[in-house]
Structure formats: C-alpha cells, structure tokens
Amino acid sequence: MIQLIKGFKDILPEDNLLWQKIEFAARELFEDFGYREIKLPILEKSELFARSIGESTDIVEKEMYTFEDGSKGTITLRPEATASAVRSYIQHKMYAKDPIQKLYTIGPMFRRERPQKGRYRQFYQIDAEVFGIDSPYIDAQIILMLVTLFERLNVPDINVLINSLGCPECRPNFQKALLDLLESSKDNLCEDCIRRVDKNPLRVLDCKKEGCREAVKNAPSIIDYLCSACEEHFDVVKRSLKKRNISYEIDKNLVRGLDYYTRTIFEVQTTSLGAQSAVAGGGRYDGLIEALGGPKQPAIGFAIGFDRLSELLSQTVESVETGPDLFIIAPDSEKDMVFEWACDLNLSGIKTDMDYSGRSRKSLMKRANKINTSYVLIVDERELSCGNVILKNMNDSDQKEIPVESLVDSVKSVITG
Ligand code: AMP
C-alpha cells in the first residue's frame, strides 16, 4: 500500500470540523479589522525566499523544497507567506492604488524540517500582513487581533512574548556588543552557532541547546541599545497593549528565525504543546518591501501555526460530528421517485441521504442509527397507496404521516420547526 510521505499528513473529515471553526473565527475577526483575503501561489522563484528570509537562515540553508524548472532556474515550495505577499504588493503595484493594504491568507507551507509532533513538512498557516503603516499602534492592534482570536477560540495557557530588534541604525551597536560576548564564549557554542557568530549572530540567542543558552545567559539586551525612535516606538506598543489589558512578557532573547524583522517582534507560546511551544509569531519588517524592489513602505505581519492551534484545541474541545437531517428508506420499486425527493430536499437545504442498497428495512434502521440521522423517512407500500409516507423522529421515536403531494414542504416544516 502506498503511504504518505514522512512529515506530511491528511486532515480527515472529522478533524476538519475544528479546522473550519478556527478558519471561520479568523476570517470573521480579520475582516472586522479591515483585512482582505489574498490567495498566493504555492510555488515561487527560489530567489524570492533567499532574498527575503535570508541566505543564512535555517529555512533557506536547509529546509526548502527546491526544484529545477527546466531552463528557468529553480523554484521553491513556499516555506512562508510573507515574501509572496510582498512580491504581490510590488508586482501588482497595490501601493499605487493605496499604500496601506491589510491582507490575510490561509494555506499550506513547506519546510524540510525533522518531523515530530507539532512539526511537519507540510503545515498550514493563517497569515496576516499590513503594508504601509509605520505607527506603533498598528503593532499593538495586530497583537490584539491575534490574542483576541485565541481568546475567542478559548485557547488555553497562552503566553505573549515581545521584543524589539531595533532598526539598521541601532542594531549594529547591539550586534557588536553581542559579538564581543560570543567571541569570548565560542568554545561553549554548538556547531551551528559557531557558524552563526559570523553570519547571523542574533540567531545564537534563539538556540535551544544547553551550552548556547548558558553562553548567552548574560548577553546584552537589545532593548538597552535601541535608538530613541525605536525606544519610543516600543514604548507606545507596550503602553497600548497594557491599555487593552493584554498581558505580555518582554523576552530579550526573542529574535525569531527570519532575517527581515525590524523593531517589534512577538511570539505566542503555550505550555500545552510540549517541545513545539510556538503557536504564532510575527513582527515588523520595515525594510523588506524596498529590499525586494518595491517602494519604501513599512510592514508588519504574523503567522499562526494552524496545525498546532488545532492540536491545542482538540485537547479541550470535543467536536461533535452531526449526522444527516434525514435518511430515506424505500423499497427498490420506488427508487426513481425517492431519488427525486432526495435531490429536491438537498436543494432545499435539508441534509438528506437515501439508501441505494435495497437492504431490509431492519438493517437500514440500524444504518440510520449508525449515521446518527435526526429523522428517517420510511416509504411503505401500504401507506404509499393512501398517498402518505412516515417521518420518524429518531430522538423520541415520534412518527408522523406526511402527504406525498407536498412532501418537500411538509418534511421541511417538521424538521426545521
Ligand atoms: P514562522 O513562519 O517560522 O514564524 O512560524 C509561525 C508559526 O508557524 C509557528 O509559531 C508555528 O506555530 C508554525 N510552524 C512553523 N513551522 C512549522 C512546522 N514545521 N510544522 C508545524 N507548524 C509550524
């Protein structure tokens, strides 16, 4: 039997109830905040990700699914959505119509990470991006929107971590102080981090290995190095979150794995998911639009790990699958007529199933119980000769005679009340 590829998974119909509930809540909330949906392709030119996420990030260095595309160079299954959203903003000159664009997109992402619970090679993200606003109030608002979604969905045990990465003006000072510390404790760093010291020293702060954690325990805090504009920006974000009663912690070691971030960054973590504790993350990336060839416009966004969010909720929410409204049992001789009824009922909004097998009424009543139907419509030759069929309520076993003449309307009025 051909099996799934490692790190990939099916989301089965019974699990999709919860996925749909999450997606519905997200769409409703985001649209209330003025976000519009954008659908983006799953394949992009590899260069887009190398230039945006950063050549020396884990994603670009080792996790991308990249293919030769004939003579046209290489293409990559998107590992995240921000780069594509920015490409689209630039390519369609959305900024010419209105530099301010609030967009959201929901879909699969691909990273060739080591699979484990909560970490897949195809996973889904719910993504929101704002282009064209540099005000710190939008940072606070996007965090508020994220936290509100989690509250509406009753996500347990969440923790909001925030930090500021500064800007190209103040970050180099911090980077220098960090480098001084890292050079002196290089012996304790893991192999990856030894490479990062030269290429991407901030990422060392993010490493989960014991030796590296120890080495950066006394690392300088980037917040102490912010220029006055970045400091003021961060102050307004913090003040606005406090005003909206959003609890957060400042995590001076939060850097996130992508190169494009500037100023405010944030992550939502949970204690209920074991090792993979991050359910959402995001931040400001004021330089990316310009770096990808667009106008100088600021931006901020986040991505929620859809799989992790649904795993979190499946621990607390029991999604109850409902059966059909109606199941029709009829002798073979009446199948032509019953087929018409079933179609008409489906089209009138009654979730109807009929039997196609011609099995005995007794075994079909068993099936009606198994599929958890609310009502059964029984077509009996004797009743039918008087122009009636029987509608049975499976909850209280109450039975009614329904005139065939006005079948759809009569069934509908009983079922919908
Ligand atoms: P990132 O795009 O790395 O900032 O990730 C944003 C969110 O996507 C994370 O907080 C996770 O919840 C989720 N995520 C990232 N990588 C994976 C993965 N390999 N499998 C499942 N979820 C993931």
Side-chain angles (χ1 to χ4, degrees):
M1 197 224 124
I2 300 170
Q3 302 264 351
L4 270 168
I5 308 170
K6 200 171 151 203
F8 288 66
K9 68 184 161 91
D10 300 317
I11 300 156
L12 299 174
E14 54 268 35
D15 300 327
N16 269 308
L17 289 175
L18 183 54
W19 282 67
Q20 282 167 358
K21 185 177 153 191
I22 295 171
E23 187 167 330
F24 181 80
R27 284 176 183 279
E28 192 174 54
L29 177 68
F30 294 1
E31 287 183 18
D32 284 348
F33 275 87
Y35 288 71
R36 298 179 307 149
E37 185 177 14
I38 183 165
K39 285 189 167 46
L40 297 160
I42 284 169
L43 277 167
E44 296 270 7
K45 290 188 179 150
S46 309
E47 193 195 344
L48 175 68
F49 302 114
R51 273 177 53 193
S52 55
I53 298 170
E55 295 276 7
S56 63
T57 54
D58 285 353
I59 297 179
V60 173
E61 268 186 349
K62 32 187 186 193
E63 295 169 0
M64 296 206 306
Y65 283 96
T66 294
F67 313 90
E68 291 290 337
D69 185 25
S71 59
K72 297 210 175 65
T74 64
I75 52 176
T76 294
L77 279 170
R78 64 176 183 193
E80 56 109 49
T82 302
S84 304
V86 171
R87 183 212 28 80
S88 182
Y89 177 76
I90 301 170
Q91 180 166 351
H92 300 286
K93 296 196 173 55
M94 287 186 212
Y95 53 84
K97 206 164 159 200
D98 185 354
I100 298 179
Q101 297 286 337
K102 290 174 152 188
L103 306 171
Y104 75 90
T105 192
I106 301 173
M109 309 295 153
F110 303 83
R111 294 183 198 170
R112 212 169 177 290
E113 294 188 82
R114 197 169 52 78
Q116 63 181 81
K117 187 163 168 43
R119 201 205 275 149
Y120 310 101
R121 290 180 166 182
Q122 175 175 337
F123 58 98
Y124 292 75
Q125 285 188 338
I126 302 174
D127 199 85
E129 317 283 346
V130 181
F131 300 144
I133 306 179
D134 62 5
S135 163
Y137 292 108
I138 206 76
D139 306 27
Q141 193 196 56
I142 210 170
I143 296 172
L144 165 84
M145 192 170 87
L146 180 59
V147 171
T148 305
L149 178 64
F150 286 10
E151 279 171 4
R152 286 191 181 174
L153 290 166
N154 290 320
V155 182
D157 310 321
I158 63 159
N159 221 345
V160 179
L161 307 177
I162 64 170
N163 194 16
S164 173
L165 287 182
C167 66
E169 206 173 291
C170 52
R171 200 188 303 177
N173 297 335
F174 166 71
Q175 226 154 338
K176 188 174 171 312
L178 179 64
L179 269 177
D180 289 345
L181 175 105
L182 294 177
E183 291 293 351
S184 65
S185 46
K186 226 173 178 173
D187 295 347
N188 303 323
L189 300 180
C190 72
E191 258 177 48
D192 278 343
C193 282
I194 291 175
R195 273 188 307 118
R196 285 175 187 143
V197 171
D198 298 321
K199 287 178 150 182
N200 200 347
L202 255 66
R203 292 293 321 280
V204 180
L205 294 173
D206 203 25
C207 184
K208 304 282 178 286
K209 303 229 170 70
E210 196 53 44
C212 304
R213 290 191 93 105
E214 191 57 32
V216 299
K217 217 167 66 186
N218 298 318
S221 168
I222 184 149
I223 289 167
D224 297 331
Y225 287 79
L226 297 180
C227 61
S228 58
C230 286
E231 199 178 344
E232 206 185 309
H233 186 102
F234 199 43
D235 281 346
V236 178
V237 176
K238 288 184 292 185
R239 206 171 61 222
S240 309
L241 289 176
K242 274 202 191 112
K243 267 200 167 154
R244 298 298 315 182
N245 287 325
I246 295 171
S247 346
Y248 61 82
E249 271 171 48
I250 296 177
D251 179 352
K252 71 180 175 84
N253 285 352
L254 183 68
V255 293
R256 310 204 20 78
L258 299 81
D259 273 2
Y260 52 59
Y261 287 118
T262 50
R263 291 196 163 168
T264 318
I265 53 165
F266 50 93
E267 195 159 284
V268 179
Q269 297 193 346
T270 168
T271 46
S272 313
L273 273 182
Q276 303 308 319
S277 59
V279 221
R284 195 162 262 294
Y285 48 96
D286 289 340
L288 185 61
I289 298 177
E290 196 181 16
L292 288 178
K296 192 169 163 43
Q297 287 291 348
I300 184 166
F302 67 68
I304 301 171
F306 205 152
D307 310 67
R308 288 187 198 168
L309 183 54
S310 85
E311 269 156 38
L312 252 178
L313 287 176
S314 66
Q315 295 168 5
T316 53
V317 180
E318 208 190 321
S319 45
V320 185
E321 266 201 286
T322 51
D325 298 321
L326 183 71
F327 181 59
I328 310 180
I329 299 176
D332 259 354
S333 54
E334 306 301 338
K335 283 276 148 61
D336 275 4
M337 180 178 70
V338 166
F339 173 70
E340 292 298 309
W341 293 348
C343 292
D344 287 343
L345 283 160
N346 284 135
L347 291 171
S348 73
I350 303 291
K351 206 159 119 188
T352 304
D353 266 343
M354 63 177 270
D355 165 61
Y356 301 97
S357 72
R359 275 182 292 159
S360 73
R361 189 185 297 177
K362 194 172 160 211
S363 81
L364 291 173
M365 284 308 286
K366 272 194 193 155
R367 174 158 175 80
N369 273 316
K370 191 174 160 194
I371 62 174
N372 204 16
T373 185
S374 306
Y375 288 84
V376 176
L377 190 76
I378 303 163
V379 181
D380 177 87
E381 304 280 14
R382 219 181 42 208
E383 295 284 336
L384 195 60
S385 64
C386 309
N388 292 325
V389 287
I390 300 159
L391 184 63
K392 180 174 179 179
N393 183 329
M394 296 298 278
N395 270 335
D396 57 13
S397 297
D398 182 43
Q399 299 200 158
K400 278 190 174 53
E401 284 190 356
I402 298 281
V404 169
E405 216 177 65
S406 59
L407 186 113
V408 173
D409 288 344
S410 305
V411 167
K412 211 173 160 183
S413 78
V414 174
I415 292 184
T416 58

